[in-house]
Amino acid sequence: MSASTLRIALVGNPNCGKTALFNQLTGGRQKVANYAGVTIERKEGRFTAPSGRLLQILDLPGTYSFDANSPDEQITRDVLEGNYPGEAAPDLIVCVADATNLRLHLRFVLEVKRLGRPVVLALNMMDAAHRRGIQIDVPELQRRLGLPVVETIAVKRGGAMALIQRVDGDVPVAAPAMADDPDSRADLHAQVRELLAATVTMPRQTAVMDDALDRWALHPVFGLAILAVVMFLVFQAVYSAGKPMTDAIGDIFGWMGTHVATLLPAGPLQSLVVDGLFGGLGTVIGFLPEILVLFFFILVLEESGYLPRAAFLLDRLMMSVGLTGRSFIPLLSSFACAIPGIMGTRSIQDPRDRLATILVAPLMTCSARLPVYALLIGAFIPMHHVLGIFNLQGLVLFALYAAGILGAMAVGWVIKRIHRDKSEHALLMELPSYRMPKPRDIAIGLWERSAIFIKRLTGVILALTVLMWFISTFPSPPAGATGPAIDYSFAGYLGHGLQFIFAPLGFNWQISLSLIPAFAARETAVAALATVYAVGGDANTGGLAHALAANFSLASALSLLVWFAFAPQCMSTLAVIRRETNSWRNVAISFSYMFAVAYVASLLTYQITRLLTS
């Protein structure tokens, strides 16, 4: 690293605006990875200061205290102390604090100062503090802390200029390290009280608007009703807003495949490009809009400050089924992908609660299931309106998400009965102020999700799609064969062999075959079906949905939907469970119980639907 490069670590309590500040400084110049040896996410970005100096900025996990109670807090402390393997200590620490809630944040600032490293305090959300009439004597606070203090507004363009100017100058001299003993830690509270009394004037502890909204949002009855309505509308929007874009992308890829076919000579190359790439990958990429719609609403709820309130609201309900309110945010993250959801359980201190959350997180309907749901719902559920308002297809999608949630609650209840625990697990968490989500942060979050999806699409999904095309095409039928050519391929033999296991669920051999690549990545079930039916000639007219409707009964379609609601998770999720719990036994438990639940639920769905529709 050159002498003109400065390595800066951003630290702070959760909900202090640290990530918004990171986004403003680095924009799209970010890279997301994991810390060496663990699955905790690390974000690093670059920024060129006005002087030409390159700033490397690391966004460390949000931390309440260095008395580490969770792995991510331990990571933050080790990195700042220079004790993390393969991670050099930062040249400068920027401690971000919420100016509207310094009573909580200043204690952590004092802990950071105790490290004896160069520190700058960024008083963030100063605009919100001014609106609430909070007055902070910044020069006096700087004098008493012995640290440079700057004001920032992370959500406003140019709101980080004072911070940029400060870090672009000379690096502050490291403050003397404080003694790390129980007495000094206990004395931090007294120091915070003295600092607040000398530098901060607050007309009231909480904002008037927050109190007014929380009277409804945190009400034990109305609050739950509001949460249910919010989640219901989110899933309605996923289908109503995303489906037209998905159909348009599907039509575009179908048109492209048709025209490319006229440019290539008949043979394996034409089949690979048209059936494998346009038919397989094109079908999967078409579902990106629906995935992004779901992520848009999750980001809006998170940025607005509503998610911690939902966790607080659901704490009592979740404790009754063996979970905790702290499980809510990791489980909500699992609607995007179970992997970050499982990693998010590090904030749960109790080992039993953490294990229970890890085991039920894969039951949340991750975005990888959405292409399968959208495909089958579009093929078999008519686009009717219920009560003149609600889309029937959206209602079915909501029911599938609800099935995952109810399944998770049932599994949590069973775990609670097996591992009885009479200790109290009180939920203590900060409720941030409500705020308007910023388009820039939402856009960056959606861009990151799109990049991850495209990376999977051009990586594992592409490889599996080509493999599926190969085994569906070769070997050629023997002389005198009378059946479809695909029946004599590797895929045909393998699919017919698996059908013996899944026939009671109503799965034909094509569906049985698609379950194999789906274990590597769920989205590939759609690509596999598109490829198999395209090679077999059934999807050449009308698309994949038409081919499924022609070869599949309603009972089989509902059975497959239920299978994907409960089926064993992808290999990546199993690997994360192994890493997080350090136990192959927990991996076996997770896979086994989900397979059993999925098989029984699909079997009942298929047989009951057959009886009702016969």
Side-chain angles (χ1 to χ4, degrees), residues 25-346:
L25 294 173
T26 63
R29 299 171 298 279
Q30 304 174 4
K31 61 178 181 180
V32 181
N34 288 333
Y35 286 96
V38 296
T39 51
I40 297 177
E41 186 180 87
R42 72 192 301 279
K43 286 186 176 182
E44 187 170 313
R46 296 188 171 208
F47 175 76
T48 302
S51 67
R53 170 185 278 183
L54 179 63
L55 308 180
Q56 281 193 329
I57 304 175
L58 180 64
D59 185 10
L60 291 175
T63 307
Y64 285 109
S65 170
F66 284 150
D67 295 330
N69 292 314
S70 62
D72 48 1
E73 291 175 337
Q74 187 63 55
I75 288 283
T76 296
R77 177 167 184 165
D78 288 347
V79 170
L80 293 182
E81 291 179 338
N83 294 331
Y84 195 80
E87 190 84 19
D91 301 313
L92 175 66
I93 300 172
V94 174
C95 193
V96 185
D98 180 356
T100 67
N101 193 10
L102 287 180
R103 184 178 302 276
L104 176 66
H105 291 250
L106 278 179
R107 184 186 186 281
F108 182 64
V109 173
L110 293 175
E111 286 194 71
V112 173
K113 177 184 176 182
R114 191 169 59 193
L115 297 175
R117 293 189 177 276
V119 179
V120 171
L121 170 59
L123 291 180
N124 198 30
M125 305 185 192
M126 287 298 293
D127 54 337
H130 291 153
R131 285 196 300 269
R132 287 176 51 181
I134 299 174
Q135 298 179 8
I136 302 175
D137 188 341
V138 175
E140 180 64 14
L141 179 61
Q142 180 171 273
R143 186 186 71 80
R144 288 176 173 266
L145 283 174
L147 304 173
V149 179
V150 297
E151 301 181 22
T152 62
I153 305 174
V155 295
K156 181 180 179 182
R157 183 178 295 275
M161 187 56 64
L163 175 62
I164 294 171
Q165 292 173 349
R166 185 64 189 82
V167 301
D168 195 23
D170 295 329
V171 177
V173 178
M178 299 168 61
D180 188 8
D181 57 68
D183 291 337
S184 69
R185 290 198 298 271
D187 192 49
L188 290 178
H189 294 287
Q191 294 182 54
V192 169
R193 287 193 295 269
E194 292 177 6
L195 286 169
L196 290 173
T199 63
V200 180
T201 302
M202 295 184 64
R204 54 181 291 141
Q205 293 293 326
T206 55
V208 175
M209 185 188 72
D210 290 354
D211 291 343
L213 292 175
D214 282 343
R215 277 196 291 272
W216 293 94
L218 298 182
H219 191 278
V221 177
F222 297 120
L224 288 173
I226 291 171
L227 177 60
V229 170
V230 167
M231 301 311 295
F232 177 79
L233 293 178
V234 167
F235 297 127
Q236 279 281 308
V238 167
Y239 214 87
S240 300
K243 185 64 164 58
M245 292 183 283
T246 292
D247 292 341
I249 293 175
D251 292 341
I252 291 172
F253 272 90
W255 177 84
M256 291 171 62
T258 300
H259 282 72
V260 169
T262 63
L263 302 175
L264 296 174
L269 178 60
Q270 184 195 73
S271 176
L272 172 61
V273 173
V274 176
D275 300 331
L277 300 184
F278 285 102
L281 286 183
T283 301
V284 178
I285 200 173
F287 294 102
L288 178 59
E290 293 175 68
I291 294 172
L292 292 184
V293 170
L294 174 62
F295 270 93
F296 170 80
F297 284 104
I298 290 178
L299 288 170
V300 167
L301 293 175
E302 182 178 8
E303 292 290 325
S304 67
Y306 181 70
L307 287 191
R309 289 167 168 84
F312 176 81
L313 192 65
L314 292 173
D315 183 53
R316 184 181 297 274
L317 174 63
M318 298 187 76
M319 284 187 66
S320 68
V321 296
L323 299 171
T324 172
R326 290 191 181 276
S327 302
F328 174 75
I329 294 179
L331 292 181
L332 186 65
S333 300
S334 298
F335 281 116
C337 178
I339 292 174
I342 292 171
M343 295 190 307
T345 62
R346 290 190 175 96

Side-chain angles (χ1 to χ4, degrees), residues 277-546:
L277 300 184
F278 285 102
L281 286 183
T283 301
V284 178
I285 200 173
F287 294 102
L288 178 59
E290 293 175 68
I291 294 172
L292 292 184
V293 170
L294 174 62
F295 270 93
F296 170 80
F297 284 104
I298 290 178
L299 288 170
V300 167
L301 293 175
E302 182 178 8
E303 292 290 325
S304 67
Y306 181 70
L307 287 191
R309 289 167 168 84
F312 176 81
L313 192 65
L314 292 173
D315 183 53
R316 184 181 297 274
L317 174 63
M318 298 187 76
M319 284 187 66
S320 68
V321 296
L323 299 171
T324 172
R326 290 191 181 276
S327 302
F328 174 75
I329 294 179
L331 292 181
L332 186 65
S333 300
S334 298
F335 281 116
C337 178
I339 292 174
I342 292 171
M343 295 190 307
T345 62
R346 290 190 175 96
S347 63
I348 303 175
Q349 299 177 15
D350 183 80
R352 189 201 69 87
D353 290 347
R354 181 170 182 251
L355 178 60
T357 307
I358 287 175
L359 291 179
V360 304
L363 288 173
M364 300 297 102
T365 303
C366 65
S367 59
R369 290 179 171 105
L370 197 54
V372 182
Y373 288 171
L375 173 67
L376 294 174
I377 290 173
F380 291 94
I381 306 300
M383 192 176 288
H384 291 166
H385 283 82
V386 179
L387 302 177
I389 303 175
F390 303 115
N391 186 321
L392 178 60
Q393 294 176 328
L395 289 174
V396 173
L397 182 65
F398 176 75
L400 289 168
Y401 277 81
I405 295 171
L406 294 175
M409 295 174 68
V411 172
W413 185 85
V414 171
I415 295 174
K416 180 180 180 180
R417 293 298 178 272
I418 295 175
H419 298 285
R420 294 187 177 275
D421 184 0
K422 297 182 180 180
S423 61
E424 293 290 334
H425 301 158
L427 176 63
L428 300 174
M429 65 186 308
E430 176 193 2
L431 295 182
S433 295
Y434 289 100
R435 52 187 180 268
M436 287 296 296
K438 297 303 175 182
R440 178 186 178 87
D441 294 334
I442 300 295
I444 289 176
L446 293 178
W447 172 257
E448 289 176 351
R449 187 63 222 179
S450 300
I452 292 172
F453 183 84
I454 298 298
K455 183 178 179 180
R456 285 169 61 87
L457 194 71
T458 56
V460 62
I461 299 178
L462 174 61
L464 290 172
T465 299
V466 173
L467 177 62
M468 188 59 61
W469 168 83
F470 178 82
I471 67 172
S472 300
T473 305
F474 300 100
S476 302
T482 57
I486 195 171
D487 285 353
Y488 303 96
S489 67
F490 296 121
Y493 290 122
L494 183 58
H496 284 95
L498 289 172
Q499 189 179 7
F500 175 77
I501 301 173
F502 294 103
L505 311 185
F507 297 174
N508 59 15
W509 72 264
Q510 292 95 334
I511 293 293
S512 302
L513 179 66
S514 72
L515 300 182
I516 297 177
F519 185 62
R522 292 184 189 275
E523 307 97 320
T524 55
V526 173
L529 287 172
T531 302
V532 169
Y533 277 112
V535 172
D538 294 317
N540 291 336
T541 58
L544 179 57
H546 181 270

